[in-house]
Amino acid sequence: MAVKHSPFDRFLLILNGLFLTVAVLLIVVPLVYVVVASFMDPTVLLNQGLSFRISDWSLEGYRKILSNPAMLRGFGNSVFYSAAFALVTVTVSVCAGYALSDSRLAGRKIFMTLFVITMFFGGGLIPTYLLVKQLGMLDTVWAIIIPGAVNVWNIILSRTFFKGVPNELREAANVDGATEAGIFFRIVLPLSKPIIFVLALYAFVGQWNSYFDAMIYLEDAKLHPLQLVLRSILIQNQAAPGMISDQLAMNELKRLSEMIKYSAIVISSLPLLVMYPFFQKYFEKGVMVGSLK
Amino acid sequence: MENTVEVDPRAAAVRRKSSAGRVLQTVRKHYFLYVLLAPALILTLIFKYVPMYGAIIAFKDFSPIKGIMGSEWVGLKHFEKFLSSPNFDVIFLNTLKLSFFGLIFSFPVPILLALMLNQVRRAGVKKNVQLFLYAPNFISAVVIVGMLFIFLSPTGPVNHLLTWITGEPLMFMSEPKYFRWIYILSDIWQGAGWASIIYVAALANVDPELHNAASLDGANLLQRIRHIDLPTIRPIMAIVFILAAGGIMSIGFEKAYLMQTSMNLPASEIIATYVYKVGLQSGDYAYSAAVGLFNSVINVVLLLTVNFIVKKLNEGEGLY
């Protein structure tokens, strides 16, 4: 049975609809602008703004971006870093979460406290950097994957989840002669696929979008992830180093630089924005599991 | 299985006698659990606790050759240097203002969005609106700031529009006075939708009968929101607020650093970016570590204080 609305309520609801429409437009318009601008001849864009005539459109920006070796390498690096990071961090955190969920683990309160303290207090940037340097991890993939691998939040989430797995399942397996490892790998893990998937998704996206660790730990440009390459194109205005071979090309680049920026944004955001609607419910689930604590 | 042993009085007596021996025994018995725990524990000790120890270089004249142990103690020299430097006021206030105003302006928006979304009765429409509102969350800081630079450049679309209306473009990215606004508004643009999820979910659990009964009693929509919806999400609001307020001094490096131009530094230099520049770009490790340590200590104090206050206000319901 629906709530009956007075005229005043109905007026408010119309207002509500208007506000939400404006909110959606505020988000959609800039994004659409970027996509349309990425196809547009830069001179037309500068003089007239957006145009929807096909003759004003060009694929030059994409051609330049896709033929840029730094961009392609960055893309490849990012795929690798994000996947490897997601794999490591989820494995480490979920295993710890499982161990900590088991009441037979002596000292689990102490361990938990050790983990939680690191959420609120840390040695800071410089001591961490010096340590990574001392371990010889500078300019290696390890610097991206290992120092941040333990995610306490993920440990808490998975621990909460494992606590919810009925004990009878484990006991039954125990009676059937399964070992502790067997219970974990064959019974508990298969049950946890959804939460593992959610955590991995978050880890992947987080790594894909970050640039800080790469900036401080990786000097070798060959190792740079996509976000660092993007940073040099979008923010430091070094439109595609390595593409500039002569003066003519340089002028051409200057003319195209805006267009290259737009295309770079589209190309780099595309993977996430395309997969996002399919995974939306998993992402939302992640937020909800997180709120359980 | 273990539980049955625990209840046994004889076992309890044995436990009392040699608890250390018993711990060893359980460890041996359940070694698999420790194997699972080990990687996270070892990595945490190395990459979180060793740097905490390393933070003592903040009290030393650190020289890479002598190492952390060998360098000489200098007490609070670096802290005094930071606190008395002319940069201190500016950087400290910039950090505080950016996060304080950020918190004040960003906090209510997701709540409003959630209350509004909650009034959308058609599930399909609601779902699609959410899809759009959440999307910016997945755009990277680099791309967001890149878009800001393009849109707000003197020849960009926003200034195109402004020149058309007022006849004059604004130097958004180079004038310090715009920095905070741009930072906070773009944060809201990117994060408000996503932050509303948790409220939307809580509101979805409100029994529709409550709204029904209230409207029969003559309550209008605003009154129902005030007396039914808001109390429902109040505990969540408290938690979100504590977390945000506690993190006020740990405002993110990534976006602020990207938005910095040599012109807007008077407003955009914050502690995090200062630590990075002094430490990793100029190599003044000890001083920079001191600034970082100063920041984290304030952070912890802040978190505990806010938690204490909210606990008082919220009838004993804090976070810790």
Side-chain angles (χ1 to χ4, degrees):
Chain A
M1 184 168 94
V3 176
K4 269 217 177 104
H5 292 298
S6 67
F8 177 64
D9 287 359
R10 265 199 295 272
F11 168 72
L12 284 178
L13 285 177
I14 290 171
L15 216 58
N16 187 44
L18 275 176
F19 280 138
L20 281 176
T21 313
V22 171
V24 169
L25 283 179
L26 277 175
I27 281 167
V28 172
V29 168
L31 296 179
V32 170
Y33 183 94
V34 169
V35 174
V36 175
S38 72
F39 287 106
M40 285 205 41
D41 189 293
T43 13
V44 180
L45 184 66
L46 199 66
N47 296 329
Q48 312 166 13
L50 294 187
S51 142
F52 289 90
R53 256 180 317 180
I54 214 75
S55 62
D56 294 334
W57 285 39
S58 114
L59 290 170
E60 202 56 29
Y62 287 98
R63 218 168 285 148
K64 281 271 183 285
I65 272 295
L66 289 176
S67 63
N68 177 0
M71 187 83 184
L72 294 181
R73 200 168 45 214
F75 205 97
N77 284 342
S78 278
V79 171
F80 174 66
Y81 296 158
S82 309
F85 177 75
L87 182 72
V88 172
T89 187
V90 170
T91 307
V92 169
S93 310
V94 166
C95 286
Y98 178 74
L100 290 166
S101 75
D102 196 316
S103 56
R104 295 167 307 174
L105 183 88
R108 61 184 191 291
K109 283 237 171 76
I110 303 170
F111 295 133
M112 205 59 216
T113 314
L114 270 176
F115 285 123
V116 170
I117 285 176
T118 66
M119 290 175 91
F120 303 106
F121 188 77
L125 170 68
I126 303 296
T128 310
Y129 173 83
L130 290 176
L131 174 72
V132 170
K133 189 175 170 185
Q134 220 169 21
L135 293 174
M137 286 161 70
L138 286 191
D139 265 331
T140 67
V141 182
W142 304 115
I144 302 297
I145 297 170
I146 302 297
V150 181
N151 184 325
V152 180
W153 201 235
N154 286 355
I155 293 182
I156 296 176
L157 293 191
S158 49
R159 188 186 67 147
T160 311
F161 175 84
F162 290 129
K163 274 188 178 164
V165 175
N167 241 341
E168 290 78 26
L169 267 178
R170 296 185 210 183
E171 274 160 23
N174 224 338
V175 170
D176 289 346
T179 57
E180 296 251 8
I183 295 175
F184 178 63
F185 288 116
R186 279 196 230 108
I187 296 175
V188 179
L189 271 194
L191 277 175
S192 331
K193 271 187 212 144
I195 187 171
I196 291 176
F197 184 67
V198 170
L199 297 183
L201 212 54
Y202 268 89
F204 188 95
V205 171
Q207 187 63 42
W208 182 272
N209 281 340
S210 77
Y211 74 90
F212 183 64
D213 285 351
M215 181 175 78
I216 61 173
Y217 295 137
L218 305 177
E219 235 172 89
D220 187 354
K222 284 202 186 81
L223 296 175
H224 282 180
L226 183 64
Q227 297 302 326
L228 273 189
V229 181
L230 274 178
R231 169 169 163 258
S232 67
I233 295 176
L234 293 178
I235 291 160
Q236 300 170 320
N237 270 315
Q238 295 159 352
M243 284 161 54
I244 305 161
S245 47
D246 53 58
Q247 197 55 41
L248 200 78
M250 188 117 149
N251 287 337
E252 166 85 348
L253 258 185
K254 218 174 219 160
R255 192 178 69 85
L256 287 175
S257 87
E258 288 292 293
M259 198 179 187
I260 290 177
K261 286 182 184 176
Y262 286 119
S263 340
I265 291 178
V266 174
I267 293 267
S268 68
S269 309
L270 210 61
L272 289 192
L273 286 184
V274 165
M275 81 180 200
Y276 152 66
F278 298 103
F279 290 143
Q280 192 198 5
K281 70 170 187 215
Y282 292 102
F283 282 118
E284 281 188 57
K285 207 189 241 164
V287 175
M288 294 328 296
V289 181
S291 64
L292 281 178
K293 185 168 167 223
Chain B
M1 301 293 272
E2 274 310 287
N3 289 343
T4 47
V5 177
E6 291 250 346
V7 192
D8 185 340
R10 268 173 313 163
V14 170
R15 187 184 56 186
R16 244 173 275 131
K17 260 185 212 148
S18 67
S19 69
R22 187 180 170 275
V23 166
L24 260 182
Q25 204 189 339
T26 36
V27 169
R28 215 173 301 138
K29 197 164 171 194
H30 305 296
Y31 73 95
F32 179 69
L33 294 177
Y34 291 88
V35 171
L36 288 182
L37 181 68
L41 197 61
I42 294 169
L43 285 176
T44 298
L45 289 177
I46 296 178
F47 290 102
K48 298 285 158 47
Y49 283 90
V50 171
M52 282 187 208
Y53 164 74
I56 63 169
I57 65 166
F59 305 96
K60 292 188 162 203
D61 250 341
F62 179 69
S63 107
I65 303 156
K66 289 183 189 160
I68 295 176
M69 291 291 286
S71 298
E72 266 156 58
W73 292 98
V74 291
L76 295 175
K77 182 180 116 182
H78 300 302
F79 293 90
E80 279 160 16
K81 183 179 157 200
F82 178 52
L83 291 175
S84 61
S85 86
N87 291 331
F88 173 74
D89 288 355
V90 179
I91 296 172
F92 189 74
L93 279 182
N94 278 346
T95 312
L96 206 62
K97 281 188 202 161
L98 190 60
S99 27
F100 178 75
F101 291 125
L103 175 62
I104 298 296
F105 288 108
S106 310
F107 181 69
V109 183
I111 299 167
L112 282 176
L113 276 179
L115 291 174
M116 282 158 60
L117 278 169
N118 191 44
Q119 294 303 327
V120 178
R121 286 288 162 244
R122 263 182 288 176
V125 176
K126 185 173 166 188
K127 197 138 191 61
N128 282 323
V129 173
Q130 283 171 306
L131 190 72
F132 284 114
L133 291 183
Y134 300 164
N137 183 56
F138 296 96
I139 301 174
S140 74
V142 175
V143 167
I144 292 274
V145 178
M147 281 167 66
L148 287 174
F149 271 107
I150 297 176
F151 285 149
L152 300 177
S153 92
T155 53
V158 172
N159 267 320
H160 229 83
L161 208 67
L162 270 181
T163 352
W164 187 64
I165 299 169
T166 66
E168 245 179 285
L170 295 174
M171 301 295 124
F172 287 111
M173 299 309 279
S174 46
E175 280 204 46
K177 63 177 172 188
Y178 297 124
F179 171 79
R180 233 164 264 138
W181 285 109
I182 297 171
Y183 185 99
I184 293 168
L185 288 177
S186 60
D187 251 15
I188 294 178
W189 183 82
Q190 178 170 27
W194 190 251
S196 72
I197 291 182
I198 186 169
Y199 298 115
V200 170
L203 288 172
N205 288 334
V206 173
D207 186 354
E209 275 310 306
L210 270 177
H211 276 280
N212 250 336
S215 83
L216 284 180
D217 285 344
N220 67 32
L221 188 57
L222 284 181
Q223 288 166 324
R224 294 202 304 271
I225 288 176
R226 200 177 138 211
H227 294 288
I228 300 173
D229 289 350
L230 272 183
T232 309
I233 55 177
R234 214 180 61 156
I236 302 176
M237 282 164 63
I239 292 174
V240 171
F241 191 83
I242 297 176
L243 286 176
I248 224 169
M249 291 300 284
S250 60
I251 182 150
F253 168 96
E254 297 214 339
K255 198 171 139 194
Y257 182 67
L258 291 171
M259 281 179 66
Q260 284 183 347
T261 61
S262 53
M263 311 280 282
N264 69 18
L265 275 184
S268 63
E269 189 78 294
I270 57 175
I271 293 183
T273 57
Y274 184 68
V275 168
Y276 168 71
K277 286 178 192 169
V278 175
L280 294 186
Q281 289 186 338
S282 319
D284 196 348
Y285 291 138
Y287 174 61
S288 167
V291 178
L293 191 61
F294 169 80
N295 195 25
S296 1
V297 170
I298 293 189
N299 232 336
V300 171
V301 174
L302 225 104
L303 191 69
L304 295 178
T305 317
V306 174
N307 185 51
F308 176 78
I309 296 171
V310 172
K311 224 178 202 165
K312 286 267 141 148
L313 296 178
N314 211 20
E315 291 126 25
E317 254 189 89
L319 201 52
Y320 315 109

